[in-house]
Every structure is written in C-alpha cells, then in structure tokens.
Amino acid sequence: MSLDIFQLLKTRFGDQILESQIRFGQTEIEVSPESIAQIIEHLLTSPETQMNQLLDLVAIDYLQYPNWHGPRFSIVYLLRSLISKCRVNIRIRVAEESISVPSISKLYKNANWLEREAFDQVGIRFLGHPNLKRILNHHEFIGHPLRKDYPITRRQWLSENESLMDEMAMRLKEKGYTL
Amino acid sequence: MGISELPFLTTKRDAIINWGRKSSLWPMPFGTACCAIEFMGVVSSRFDLARFGAELVRFSPRQSDLLLVAGTVTFKQAPILKQIYQQMPEPKWVISMGVCASAGGFYNNYCTVQGIDQVIPVDVYISGCPPRPEAILESILKLQEKIEHPEKHEIAQFQPQEPKFNY
C-alpha cells in the first residue's frame, strides 16, 4: 500500500492509536474505543485517505478463544476508499463492563443497519444511534445469540409480529412527510 | 346404450365432491427459500403441475385450498404462516415441502422452527433439499389420494399432528 495510514493517524491522534499490523495483506490498526467516531470521521473527511465506503462492521466475541486474556469483545470497521482504492481495517476492543461505543451512523448510511445487527447478535450498545433495536431476531427475543455463552439451540417463540410503524415513521419524517 | 346417452348419473355425494376437490387444487405457495424456486420449475412447462389440476397458483390465501410451505420458516415468520393458514377457507390442506419446512433441516439453531407442524397441521411431507420435481408431483398424487379416500387415511401416516405452539 502506498499510503501509510498508521503514521497519518499517529500524527493526528497520538496515543489514541495503539498498534498496526498487516494481516492477510490488509492493514489493521487498533485504536482506543473512546475516539473511534473521530478517527473514522477523520479517515472519511481527510483528503489523503477519503475512506468513503464502509464495507462491513463486525463484532467478535472472544469468550472461549484459546489463551485469550484481553477484553471480551472486539469490533472491526472495514473501510475502503472509492478514490484511491485503499483498504484499512480499524479494530477496537471493548470489555463487557464498558460495552457502549460511539455510533458512526451519522457518517455512513449503511452503518445504521450494521450497528443494529451488531447490537442484535452480540449486544454492543452504540451511543447516539437513531434507532437501536433488533434487526434480525424478533422483538420478543431475550439475549444475544452470537455471544459464545448463548446455547445455540435455545429457541424463543414469537407471539405477535411487530407493526414496524416506528421505522416507517422515521423514514417518512426523513422524506418530509407527516403521519 | 353408452353411458354418454344417459340423462343422469348416480353416485355418492361425497365421492363426486371429493373428486372435484382433488382435481382442482389451488395452491398458495408460502415460499421462503430455494424450495420455492424448485416449485416454480414444477409449475412451469417441463414438469407441468397442470396435468394434475393444481396449476392455478393463487398468491392469496382467501382463494386457495392448498398451502405449500416451501422453505425455511423462522420464529419471526411463524405468526405470519399461522395467520395465512387461518385466512384460508375450509377445506384446506398443507404440504410441507423440503426438509427445512418438515423438520428444520440443517438449521438446528436458535432462529428456525423445527418443522412447521409445530405451528399448523400438515398433510403431506416431502423430503429433499430441495426435493426433485418428481417428489412434488408424487406429493400432489398422495394428497389427491387422501382427499379422494379420507376414510382410508384417518389413522394412516398422513394424520396431521396437533400444533405444539398455540398462538
């Protein structure tokens, strides 16, 4: 990669940027979770990087990971620039006690649903998300199924479907209609 | 004197009603996965479900009498399936197509209903992932046999199970 994103971030954010490594040919930068929204906003708006595409947002549970003693969860933001075609993965580590991380749904439109998925399946709380509710599982579901301590065959019946009018109302308001 | 020259025909009422019912099944596909694609192949010209009188696919439960559940049913969809079944007029039959609808398939996990017979009664199950079109035609023939001779199948293997979950 021609661009050294780690050095760029290091000069701008200092000790908020923890470490960098090349994994499977991709740069992965670990940063501290408090300033994740500012770092990603900087990567999006800075003319050197212009990471204007959020490919994916992944939450990982390290509960039964062998020889692991660090924080339980980790979230990886897979960013790509449509201008320079560069990719970078930003990783933050989150302990179970401080599970709240800042939302980036204002920066990327698709982050809205990706963060809802991470909340639904792993239980990460995204602060500042406009509508943080379950997206894949039904609204009467208790627990977060992709956590490693959730029994895979614990099934939960749904008694009644959601009306989804809360989401519809938000979309209508966005487009300038009133209910 | 041939039968066509007779002005009338005597038969049992049940026999002619059941003959009519079995020869004009109107299916309502509840397609949620790849089994629904296979069902499209059965309806179209190569396998031609019309030969068995079940070609008029209605996408409205109010106009159908055969619910063909094709695909994986999740817990989020189970109330929808129940509602569609309740909207169908009597008499109605259910075919559970494929292993996902019949027993959950390889989705032995937190989100999939382990067989739609936990939600609605099922008349005929089809195995396969997805089943061959011949298997679907076979299930239609089995169902026709069941409709024609309901007394034969009262305690046969096609006896519908009571739903386990009550909405």
Side-chain angles (χ1 to χ4, degrees):
Chain A
M1 191 189 286
S2 57
L3 198 66
D4 195 351
I5 294 171
F6 180 67
Q7 281 309 320
L8 279 173
L9 287 179
K10 199 80 184 166
T11 48
R12 172 76 172 76
F13 289 98
D15 58 354
Q16 298 288 316
I17 312 299
L18 303 174
E19 60 169 336
S20 161
Q21 54 182 325
I22 308 279
R23 267 192 188 167
F24 305 109
Q26 287 176 15
T27 316
E28 186 182 298
I29 301 172
E30 191 178 330
V31 305
S32 93
E34 295 85 48
S35 50
I36 179 69
Q38 287 89 348
I39 289 166
I40 289 181
E41 188 172 8
H42 181 72
L43 284 171
L44 172 66
T45 52
S46 144
E48 292 108 331
T49 48
Q50 285 180 301
M51 296 288 174
N52 51 5
Q53 193 181 18
L54 177 66
L55 293 173
D56 206 351
L57 188 156
V58 190
I60 306 159
D61 186 3
Y62 280 92
L63 184 68
Q64 290 155 8
Y65 199 75
N67 306 320
W68 179 255
H69 305 292
R72 178 169 170 186
F73 300 104
S74 123
I75 304 166
V76 188
Y77 300 82
L78 284 74
L79 300 171
R80 181 175 183 267
S81 167
L82 282 169
I83 294 118
S84 67
K85 320 288 189 213
C86 282
R87 281 184 65 158
V88 66
N89 302 346
I90 308 289
R91 181 189 283 266
I92 57 175
R93 296 205 185 272
V94 190
E96 203 173 355
E97 303 80 49
S98 56
I99 195 106
S100 303
V101 294
S103 166
I104 57 159
S105 54
K106 285 188 178 61
L107 305 175
Y108 299 94
K109 211 173 177 184
N110 63 336
N112 188 317
W113 278 22
L114 291 172
E115 285 178 352
R116 277 178 65 183
E117 188 190 356
F119 163 72
D120 183 3
Q121 301 282 49
V122 191
I124 313 285
R125 263 70 170 177
F126 290 94
L127 299 174
H129 190 285
N131 187 22
L132 193 65
K133 52 180 264 199
R134 292 184 181 277
I135 187 167
L136 295 172
N137 293 300
H138 54 77
H139 63 289
E140 292 170 13
F141 203 92
I142 297 164
H144 302 285
L146 289 197
R147 286 192 176 189
K148 296 294 177 193
D149 53 1
Y150 187 91
I152 188 74
T153 51
R154 183 190 285 166
R155 304 185 176 97
Q156 302 185 23
W157 284 96
L158 169 67
S159 61
E160 205 184 335
N161 279 103
E162 239 180 319
S163 73
L164 297 176
M165 274 315 286
D166 51 339
E167 285 178 51
M168 186 66 88
M170 285 178 78
R171 293 277 294 168
L172 287 172
K173 206 178 160 191
E174 238 173 63
K175 292 181 182 294
Y177 297 100
T178 46
L179 271 178
Chain B
M1 192 171 173
I3 192 165
S4 55
E5 291 163 36
L6 283 172
F8 58 89
L9 184 73
T10 57
T11 177
K12 281 197 286 184
R13 191 195 60 190
D14 278 357
I16 197 154
I17 287 175
N18 290 339
W19 172 78
R21 281 173 176 171
K22 80 157 199 180
S23 313
S24 65
L25 286 169
W26 286 22
M28 149 90 204
F30 187 84
T32 49
C34 43
C35 279
I37 309 290
E38 201 70 12
F39 177 69
M40 290 171 207
V42 181
V43 178
S44 49
S45 55
R46 181 175 283 262
F47 294 96
D48 201 8
L49 201 57
R51 293 178 293 159
F52 306 94
E55 83 280 15
L56 198 63
V57 179
R58 293 277 124 171
F59 292 95
S60 157
R62 308 261 185 212
Q63 302 172 358
S64 328
D65 50 9
L66 168 62
L67 180 63
L68 219 146
V69 184
T72 324
V73 177
T74 58
F75 286 108
K76 208 173 179 177
Q77 275 175 326
I80 304 169
L81 177 64
K82 183 78 181 180
Q83 191 177 10
I84 283 177
Y85 180 74
Q86 285 169 340
Q87 281 174 344
M88 286 169 64
E90 294 277 354
K92 51 191 171 185
W93 298 276
V94 178
I95 289 179
S96 167
M97 177 181 168
V99 69
C100 287
S102 303
F106 54 63
Y107 298 108
N108 185 12
N109 59 10
Y110 57 90
C111 59
T112 308
V113 178
Q114 303 294 299
I116 57 160
D117 50 14
Q118 298 185 2
V119 185
I120 54 173
V122 178
D123 293 281
V124 184
Y125 299 87
I126 316 175
S127 63
C129 180
R132 287 285 307 162
E134 292 89 332
I136 299 158
L137 298 180
E138 171 80 12
S139 79
I140 296 281
L141 290 173
K142 288 267 187 222
L143 186 69
Q144 286 184 344
E145 193 191 315
K146 183 177 177 175
I147 295 167
E148 199 174 9
H149 305 290
E151 69 286 348
K152 266 194 204 168
H153 294 278
E154 267 169 9
I155 38 174
Q157 67 267 39
F158 299 141
Q159 182 69 19
Q161 229 183 346
E162 270 304 301
K164 283 183 194 160
F165 188 78
N166 221 346
Y167 281 100

